[in-house]
Amino acid sequence: MNNLNQVNITEVCPRDGFQSLPETIPTDEKVAYINQMMECGFKQIEVTSFVHPKAVPQLKDASEVLEKINRPSGVKLRALIPNLRGLERAIEAKVDKVKLMLSATDSHSKNNANATTFEAIKGFEPLVQRAETSPIHVGGSISVAFGCPYEGSVPIERHIEIAKRYEQMGITDISLADTTGMANPYKIKRVVEALRKEFPSFHFSLHLHNTRGMAFANAVAGFEVGIVDFDSSAAGLGGCPYAPNASGNIATEDLVHGFEEMGIKTGIDLNRVINIAKLLEQRFPIQSDSFILKAGKCSDLHIAPKEQTKIGN
Ligand code: ZN
């Protein structure tokens, strides 16, 4: 059980959300959204990904975005990187933290990185050594950790083996990603508990997609077994270019609202997030999965009707 009553939410819309859109958003428009997100109280924002421009053309302006955005002192900037070239670009752009992209299964990894999982993690070694000579913090990730669209369930032994290889490189900060929304609350608890038991000094976080409507339940399950760091995306914008039919991340406004309703502090200004989410929903051709955009907050009370309309008996 988690005795804390506070969670940290990282906004990932500028990376996970913007890369999932069919169109490439003009740089200045991205910068304007990110600057608004800076005002919401997030301690960390995933601003972009330093992947090859041909792989994800939507984020080809990563360096330019980082040059142009505001940099308030309380907000850390994170970027996703697939390789050493990505790290060099991230160092040059002065991001605070990079997250390594790694898939739990060989099928997903081959699709994503053109290498098996263990080949890909081996390839991170020179990158981690290079990062040691820079101020950048390197975190790991395990994509499709709770189910792979090609291989199905991922055995716990696999997570443990991957975490061991990260540990050998000195990486103890790992994001567990439910990339295609195949997790459920029991699975989250099983995987997180097993990993926390095996690696008590590690820091694990959750990156949840709401593909099957279970992301909030999964977040609560994670919280109950000690997770306090979560990713989410305004308006639930997001997907995975390498995972068929992967829909958006859990919407930031849903995650913030849900935790706050439970008395768990997020430090986020929910109304500001809702305003940004509304702008995104109006601007982009998305079918948002956000419940708060549809229904409003629980605290948005309605005027009670003067007379009840009697329905049936
Ligand atoms: Zn994602």
Side-chain angles (χ1 to χ4, degrees), residues 15-16 207 209 239 249:
R15 198 276 304 169
D16 217 337
H207 176 97
H209 281 243
N249 293 266

Side-chain angles (χ1 to χ4, degrees), residues 152-197:
S153 247
V154 179
I156 300 273
E157 299 73 44
R158 181 84 175 171
H159 301 99
I160 289 176
E161 189 51 42
I162 294 170
K164 271 187 188 151
R165 299 200 184 204
Y166 269 131
E167 191 177 35
Q168 284 161 7
M169 283 191 284
I171 293 174
T172 57
D173 174 1
I174 296 178
S175 163
L176 303 169
D178 186 24
T179 315
T180 62
M182 289 172 73
N184 63 58
Y186 285 11
K187 205 185 255 186
I188 293 271
K189 286 190 175 182
R190 272 201 304 275
V191 172
V192 170
E193 278 181 324
L195 281 170
R196 278 170 58 96
K197 193 170 161 226

Side-chain angles (χ1 to χ4, degrees), residues 2 37 50 56 58-59 73 82 88 161 169 209 248 256 273 304:
N2 192 346
M37 288 164 186
F50 288 101
V56 187
Q58 294 94 326
L59 303 180
S73 57
E88 294 294 354
E161 189 51 42
M169 283 191 284
H209 281 243
V256 171
V273 174

